[in-house]
Amino acid sequence: MSEAGEALSLGERISESIAIKTVFRIEALGLSIPISDTVITTWALMALLILGSWLLVRRLRMAPRRPQLLAEAFVGFVNKITEEKLGRHGRSYAAFLGTLFLFLIAANLAPMLSPVGGFGFEPPFFIRPLTRDINVTAALAAAVIATVVGSTFRHKGLRGWAKGLVSPMPFMLPFNLMEYAIKPLSLALRLFGNILGAYIIMLLVEAVMPLGLPPIAGLYFDLFDGLVQAVVFSFLSTIYIAEAIE
Amino acid sequence: MLDFSVTFFITILNLAVLYLALRKLLWRPLTAFLDARARKIREDLEGAEAARLSAEASSDLYRSLLEGAEAEAEAQGKEAEERAREEAKAIVEAARAEAEASRAEARKAAEREAAKAREALAGELASLAAEAAAILAGREAEAADERSAELLLRELGAGRAR
Amino acid sequence: MEASSAAFIGAGIAVLTGLGAGIGIGLATGKTSEAIARQPEASGKITGSFLLGIALAEATAIYGLVVALMLLFK
């Protein structure tokens, strides 16, 4: 938000906040690839997660200290849940679901790191929720549904997949096919709508009362909602994969 | 707002990279580490269990040995007591028999003495009677009153004292 | 009527989908409380299916919200 933001109406300011900006373009192979701010935030989060896990796992101790304890608890938790839901195949999907969960937690909680995104002043860095971009959530959902389809082929084979499509009765075929579209659509739209809605509500709260209220409301709209959506997305992905391979 | 953009493909690429990197850097080493630690803890527990079992077995052995020794010692003690009691009984018996024998001997000796004394007394009485008869016969002429009887008795006593 | 005014009215109508989601989530929460009160030891499994249920029930409200946002901020 620049100084020009002062002159804008509330609706225009919200429009500007939720818009995806193209930061720069990569000119390669005759193509001009626009790099949006959400992609840059994604890269920053990726760098953080990869560097963090490299530093953490470099020296593992038998008697863990606090950061290692946290990582152990997270990995152990994801391994336990995936084994519970997916049975003996759980281990091969634990890394994927754990990555998804970790990335979603980071993506949904990163905006809390930036100072109150009020109007009229520009913090040193300004992280807007990257899941406000439908392309990001759609990519996540596409990755999940690709994993679901791939796991069906892997564990049941082509014939098993075809047989699953016409079960319990042949006329269910269109509905079974529609599931492959509805599942990712609902995953993507749920995450996108929740995060964007919470972001807009936070912008409104900041416009109404810039001092005092935003941190309290942020506890619910940013922290709680962000965590719940990360959990729901990963949980639904786990269940979809479990349905596919059982 | 719902515009499709190339961000979709970039994000899928990003996600793939993140997945591969985290699987290599975080998931595999940490899962292997957790499994290794769980295995080590299980092995340690099993080792402790085995040690406890063997300790229990050897303590059982010692206890049975100790019980055997105790029983033996008790048996020996009982035997010794029995023997001592028998010996004591035998000694007492022997002592009693000896005492009985000596008492019987003593009684016999006493009887013998008594018989001898009675014999002697009887002999003396006979001689006394004969003497008294001689004295009576000698003094028959003299008056036989009370004084003379008294005198007779005194003479008798003197004769005896002699 | 201007197109933007119609869009505002449409956004208001779209957000009414929250009604159904509210009823659905309320029912789910009430039943979950009952279930946990009846069987506290199964609270983990109940909470899992509760989360799944409210995520599905919430989806309708989210679709309404997305439509409203599309109408408001094109």
Side-chain angles (χ1 to χ4, degrees):
Chain A
M1 241 149 294
S2 57
E3 282 107 8
E6 295 295 320
L8 299 174
S9 75
L10 184 59
E12 283 165 331
R13 275 185 269 176
I14 291 176
S15 289
E16 197 211 320
S17 287
I18 66 175
I20 317 295
K21 293 183 189 66
T22 298
V23 180
F24 63 91
R25 288 174 171 274
I26 295 177
E27 311 285 346
L29 307 170
L31 293 169
S32 171
I33 303 167
I35 300 299
S36 65
D37 61 331
T38 53
V39 171
I40 290 179
T41 316
T42 307
W43 284 344
L45 288 180
M46 280 169 63
L48 205 71
L49 290 178
I50 291 173
L51 195 71
S53 44
W54 179 68
L55 284 177
L56 211 66
V57 174
R58 203 173 34 149
R59 229 177 284 138
L60 288 174
R61 291 163 201 273
M62 267 299 172
R65 295 200 180 161
R66 188 156 298 183
Q68 190 191 330
L69 209 61
L70 206 68
E72 276 180 15
F74 181 79
V75 170
F77 171 75
V78 173
N79 281 344
K80 198 184 114 223
I81 293 288
T82 48
E83 257 168 41
E84 213 170 87
K85 299 284 178 203
L86 305 184
R88 65 198 165 85
H89 307 298
R91 279 293 167 89
S92 45
Y93 295 98
F96 173 70
L97 292 166
T99 303
L100 207 62
F101 190 32
L102 200 61
F103 178 71
L104 282 171
I105 289 175
N108 290 347
L109 297 191
M112 291 190 75
L113 291 175
S114 65
V116 177
F119 300 104
F121 70 96
E122 189 85 36
F125 56 95
F126 202 89
I127 305 172
R128 295 190 175 130
L130 59 101
T131 38
R132 80 182 195 282
D133 187 350
I134 187 73
N135 290 296
V136 173
T137 63
L140 290 167
V144 169
I145 208 68
T147 310
V148 167
V149 174
S151 63
T152 314
F153 283 142
R154 193 175 134 195
H155 293 285
K156 291 184 182 166
L158 198 61
R159 291 187 59 165
W161 176 69
K163 208 179 276 177
L165 280 182
V166 292
S167 75
M169 276 165 211
F171 72 84
M172 290 292 283
L173 177 66
F175 300 99
N176 283 333
L177 279 177
M178 257 165 66
E179 277 209 338
Y180 286 118
I182 289 171
K183 277 175 181 172
L185 193 71
S186 96
L187 275 181
L189 278 183
R190 179 179 302 111
L191 184 58
F192 165 73
N194 265 292
I195 300 300
L196 184 66
Y199 184 52
I200 290 176
I201 288 171
M202 283 306 293
L203 288 174
L204 290 173
V205 166
E206 281 159 15
V208 171
M209 194 192 269
L211 287 175
L213 194 54
I216 299 165
L219 279 183
Y220 180 81
F221 289 111
D222 283 342
L223 182 65
F224 178 72
D225 196 39
L227 279 179
V228 164
Q229 289 314 312
V231 169
V232 164
F233 194 100
S234 320
F235 189 66
L236 284 176
S237 307
T238 314
I239 288 186
Y240 291 159
I241 294 176
E243 270 176 9
I245 68 174
E246 79 183 0
Chain B
M1 195 175 65
L2 292 181
D3 313 321
F4 180 80
S5 77
V6 75
T7 303
F8 177 76
F9 298 108
I10 298 177
T11 305
I12 285 185
L13 206 68
N14 283 344
L15 209 62
V17 170
L18 186 67
Y19 165 60
L20 292 176
L22 284 191
R23 190 176 65 164
K24 187 175 185 316
L25 284 176
L26 180 68
W27 227 265
R28 290 209 168 139
L30 207 52
T31 304
F33 175 76
L34 287 179
D35 284 352
R37 188 165 63 186
R39 198 166 50 240
K40 185 176 177 300
I41 287 173
R42 199 170 50 238
E43 273 166 12
D44 284 0
L45 278 179
E46 273 165 10
E49 179 69 19
R52 194 181 66 82
L53 281 181
S54 79
E56 225 163 59
S58 60
S59 95
D60 273 356
L61 182 67
Y62 288 138
R63 194 175 303 131
S64 67
L65 279 180
L66 207 60
E67 269 167 12
E70 246 167 40
E72 201 176 324
E74 201 171 320
Q76 276 178 355
K78 210 172 271 174
E79 202 180 321
E81 203 177 323
E82 199 78 11
R83 211 183 303 137
R85 200 176 294 139
E86 266 168 25
E87 238 163 67
K89 208 192 266 175
I91 289 171
V92 167
E93 284 295 311
R96 194 179 293 148
E98 205 175 314
E100 196 74 26
S102 63
R103 205 184 298 149
E105 203 176 319
R107 200 185 295 135
K108 223 174 269 171
E111 267 169 17
R112 227 174 13 243
E113 284 294 308
K116 215 183 273 172
R118 216 178 286 134
E119 234 166 77
L121 198 60
E124 210 167 317
L125 268 179
S127 67
L128 203 63
E131 212 173 314
I135 291 167
L136 278 177
R139 290 207 189 149
E140 218 169 357
E142 292 166 27
D145 57 355
E146 279 180 42
R147 263 188 74 198
S148 62
E150 232 171 82
L151 197 79
L152 173 70
L153 278 177
R154 203 174 297 145
E155 245 171 75
L156 256 176
R160 253 190 88 87
R162 230 174 16 231
Chain C
M1 195 191 277
E2 275 183 52
S4 62
S5 321
F8 291 152
I9 294 172
I13 294 172
V15 159
L16 285 181
T17 50
L19 207 64
I23 294 171
I25 293 174
L27 283 176
T29 312
K31 292 289 179 191
T32 303
S33 305
E34 265 177 36
I36 292 181
R38 199 169 297 157
Q39 274 189 303
E41 67 276 5
S43 64
K45 282 188 174 178
I46 294 171
T47 309
S49 53
F50 167 70
L51 271 182
L52 186 63
I54 62 163
L56 296 176
E58 188 197 45
T60 57
I62 295 300
Y63 298 154
L65 176 70
V66 170
V67 169
L69 291 175
M70 283 168 71
L71 288 171
L72 285 178
F73 313 101
K74 272 172 242 180

